[in-house]
Amino acid sequence: MTTTVESGSFVVDELDPALYGQIIKPGDAEYDKARAVQTGGVDHRPAVVIRPADAAQVSRIVTLARETGTELSVRSGGHSGVGHGVSDGGICLDLTAMKALDIDVEGRTAWAQTGLTAGEYTVAVGEHGLATGFGDTGTVGIGGITLGGGIGYLVRKHGLTVDDVLAAEIVTADGRILHVDEENHPDLFWAIRGGGGNFGVVTRFKFRLHELKGIYGGFLILPATPEAIVAFVEEADAAPEELSTIANIMPAPPMPFLPEELHGTPVIFAMICYAGPAEEGERVLAPFRAIATPLADMVEAMPYSGMYPEEEEMYPLAASVNLFIDHVDLAVAETIVERIKSSTALMAATQLRVLGGAMARVPSDATAFAHRRSRIMVNLAAIYADPSEGDRHAAWVADFAASLKQSDDGVYVNFLLNEGEERIRAAYPGGTYERLAKIKSKYDPTNLFRLNQNIPPASD
């Protein structure tokens, strides 16, 4: 059967795999898996999924999309909350076949293709006692998380993922394959460190590696009283920079090691990562364990890759809102507990990440990630199963976010959904958005790369 692309002018069946890479069409056995994303409710059907093997094939795909006027999406790990990585009716450029990793152990650097996941990269470099910080999920593609900034378990010790980007290989809208760093195309190098996928297809990153032979990490569960929440945030802020935490305030899940009478009651489900020896980590964690008698304590010595356990393939429906706040006092903590109790979702959660440390020492205009002085990142989420309930849960998270709003108007671009231009601008404050728009007009004047949190090219 001949398959034509409605929005373009080429025949899918005539694409040569030797030129473009693996061609996956509707009806192929791999098609549904290739178009699936991690977020429920996204059912995009691309005309073709193409998996290139190298930058030259990426260039040909980009050129094909540009010359035929076909919508182009770029997929690294499939974690876009709104499915930006999978075009609905166009070309999905899927990087997952590009997993080459060249580790320079002595030089403490690694060239990594962007089809790798954070977990795959972390395991490989961890064999040499080295690490680069990504996010909190191992299945995330390193392309997407890096382009947006990268806030994870090493954020206080080593900063954002983009703070460890030394260079990149990128295919721009005109099909050129560019090497970018501080000396070569420095404007583009600045833009891709936080500006998202607006400027091209990054095919490789050169990352700095840090020595990290092991960590003291895992999860700690405490009862979520307002006082405990305040104490947790205060301890996380005062802790050495080796410690990064993610505190999820949520109803206790029905885990077998939690007493049944606790199931559904508010808890602090905290992910802990101390980037150092276990004996030091024990001392640093003592004040957290003293906040209240832990309901569960699974913090132990482990390789850093242990923070990325295997994940089940789940595609839940979720409403979420991201924001930054300045502080968590008793009134804020009481609001969090009350709101979590009021949700009718299958699972509701408030995620608090205390920032600072190495991330905050980088000047705000050094990269396109401009939230260097933000104190606490908050993510609010309501997970549900019935699509008809979506509006109700979206209203709950929006009202919740409004009740927590303080002086920081920012938002982390990697956690944005379809929330409009104003929110995209909030991701790039202090003139960052305008600077990015000018760079966009230089490297992508027709906005070929628009399936993202889009920054249109400047008109002047």
Side-chain angles (χ1 to χ4, degrees):
M1 181 183 73
T2 297
T3 306
T4 59
V5 179
E6 295 180 2
S7 60
S9 57
F10 67 92
V11 179
V12 171
D13 284 353
E14 294 177 358
L15 295 177
D16 185 352
L19 295 177
Y20 295 99
Q22 182 184 8
I23 310 297
I24 303 173
K25 306 175 297 238
D28 288 350
E30 292 184 66
Y31 179 75
D32 283 337
K33 185 175 182 180
R35 71 184 182 89
V37 298
Q38 294 293 324
T39 304
V42 177
D43 189 27
H44 295 169
R45 302 186 65 85
V48 62
V49 177
I50 310 179
R51 289 180 176 157
D54 53 33
Q57 291 186 343
V58 171
S59 175
R60 293 188 190 104
I61 298 166
V62 169
T63 300
L64 175 69
R66 186 188 71 248
E67 292 182 346
T68 61
T70 307
E71 183 178 76
L72 177 68
S73 67
V74 183
R75 175 190 177 114
S76 179
H79 276 259
S80 167
V82 290
H84 282 149
V86 181
S87 167
D88 195 10
I91 297 171
C92 171
L93 194 168
D94 183 352
L95 294 162
T96 54
M98 296 176 58
K99 294 183 180 290
L101 178 61
D102 183 10
I103 304 168
D104 180 354
V105 176
E106 291 186 2
R108 301 285 174 87
T109 63
W111 274 104
Q113 286 188 320
T114 46
L116 287 163
T117 65
E120 290 168 339
Y121 176 101
T122 300
V123 168
V125 301
E127 293 177 358
H128 304 282
L130 301 170
T132 303
F134 292 103
D136 59 7
T137 305
T139 55
V140 168
I142 66 170
I145 190 169
T146 302
L147 289 170
I151 300 175
Y153 293 123
L154 300 179
V155 65
R156 285 165 50 84
K157 177 62 175 175
H158 295 304
L160 304 169
T161 307
V162 294
D163 298 332
D164 283 332
V165 172
L166 303 175
E169 177 184 80
I170 182 171
V171 178
T172 50
D174 57 7
R176 288 184 296 164
I177 303 172
L178 302 180
H179 174 95
V180 300
D181 56 26
E182 293 285 4
E183 303 297 328
N184 300 282
H185 308 283
D187 56 345
L188 184 55
F189 184 56
W190 176 86
I192 64 171
R193 288 177 292 160
N198 278 283
F199 307 95
V201 184
V202 175
T203 51
R204 294 195 303 162
F205 281 112
K206 183 180 183 181
F207 291 112
R208 179 187 293 110
L209 289 165
H210 302 278
E211 184 176 349
L212 188 59
K213 298 187 182 303
I215 65 162
Y216 186 64
F219 65 84
L220 178 71
I221 302 180
L222 302 171
T225 64
E227 293 79 7
I229 295 169
V230 171
F232 189 99
V233 171
E234 289 177 347
E235 294 295 346
D237 187 51
E241 293 176 3
E242 285 77 8
L243 184 73
S244 290
T245 61
I246 301 176
N248 298 287
I249 295 91
M250 58 193 287
M255 292 179 164
F257 49 79
L258 290 177
E260 189 172 347
E261 62 268 20
L262 293 178
H263 295 177
T265 65
V267 297
I268 303 171
F269 194 117
M271 299 303 298
I272 304 288
C273 180
Y274 180 81
E279 57 272 20
E280 293 178 7
E282 285 273 4
R283 290 193 295 271
V284 171
L285 263 290
F288 292 85
R289 291 172 167 137
I291 291 172
T293 301
L295 305 175
D297 189 341
M298 302 291 184
V299 184
E300 60 186 355
M302 64 172 69
Y304 178 54
S305 59
M307 295 302 295
Y308 295 142
E310 290 188 16
E311 302 165 43
E312 297 180 9
E313 288 195 8
M314 297 178 63
Y315 305 99
L317 295 168
S320 66
V321 172
N322 177 264
L323 67 156
F324 294 104
I325 61 175
D326 312 307
H327 64 270
V328 175
D329 58 18
L330 195 59
V332 171
E334 288 172 346
T335 297
I336 291 172
V337 173
E338 290 168 1
R339 296 279 180 161
I340 290 298
K341 288 180 177 179
S342 74
S343 173
T344 58
L346 292 176
M347 177 62 70
T350 300
Q351 185 180 93
L352 304 175
R353 304 191 192 205
V354 174
L355 304 174
M359 167 188 152
R361 288 194 292 274
V362 177
S364 295
D365 61 354
T367 66
F369 181 96
H371 306 287
R372 299 293 181 166
R373 304 298 176 265
S374 293
R375 299 290 304 279
I376 302 168
M377 187 169 74
V378 181
N379 210 51
L380 310 174
I383 296 171
Y384 57 98
D386 185 348
S388 68
E389 297 178 357
D391 289 345
R392 178 181 3 131
H393 298 301
W396 179 83
V397 295
D399 189 55
F400 191 177
S403 73
L404 295 179
K405 184 173 172 53
Q406 297 171 9
S407 68
D408 193 329
D409 292 324
V411 59
Y412 179 36
V413 72
N414 276 352
F415 286 166
L416 264 181
L417 301 180
N418 279 332
E419 299 175 43
E421 182 184 352
E422 183 178 350
R423 287 279 280 169
I424 296 174
R425 285 180 175 271
Y428 301 109
T432 306
Y433 183 94
E434 290 75 16
R435 185 176 173 184
L436 288 169
K438 290 181 180 178
I439 297 170
K440 175 81 166 180
S441 66
K442 178 179 177 181
Y443 291 97
D444 185 16
T446 65
N447 206 10
L448 176 68
F449 301 110
R450 60 185 179 274
L451 279 184
N452 43 48
Q453 298 298 346
N454 193 234
I455 301 169
S459 56
D460 53 4

